[in-house]
Amino acid sequence: MSPPELLPGTPEFRIRLPKDGGYARGHLLAEFGGNGTHKFVLREGSLVAAEAWPGLDDHTRRNRAELRAVGALVDALADPGLPRAPSRWVVTRDVECKSFSAACRARLRI
């Protein structure tokens, strides 16, 4: 399978997680998602918040559980320098999302 085509002329997004300073990285893709915006790829090695929150919808909960089940999101090692940091997951392979906002909602809430 060939890698997805990045949207020409767009930068790599580097988003800092709140509270612990971890980063998520990604790119807009040339392909459009279902909502009329460009798809987004969350890059391997990105950190994402592991905790759910009250506004998390059922579809997003299922998506996160599915990514965990196939090993695309695994527990990140705890940082001894940040003992109170919230739990995080590491992205083990590039993950395509229907849009940048879908990535944020999934928390892939970056």
Side-chain angles (χ1 to χ4, degrees), residues 34-106:
N35 61 0
T37 62
H38 290 276
K39 286 186 173 184
F40 184 81
V41 62
L42 186 65
R43 292 299 193 180
E44 176 183 342
S46 292
L47 292 174
V48 299
E51 77 275 357
W53 64 99
L56 190 62
D57 62 57
D58 289 339
H59 172 76
T60 302
R61 285 180 195 276
R62 285 190 304 273
N63 186 39
R64 288 165 49 96
E66 188 176 301
L67 289 169
R68 290 279 290 167
V70 298
L73 295 175
V74 299
D75 293 336
L77 296 175
D79 183 344
L82 297 169
R84 296 180 197 253
S87 59
R88 300 172 297 175
W89 295 331
V90 176
V91 179
T92 62
R93 61 172 173 81
D94 288 354
V95 174
E96 283 190 34
C97 302
K98 291 182 183 179
S99 66
F100 176 76
S101 62
C104 290
R105 261 193 325 275

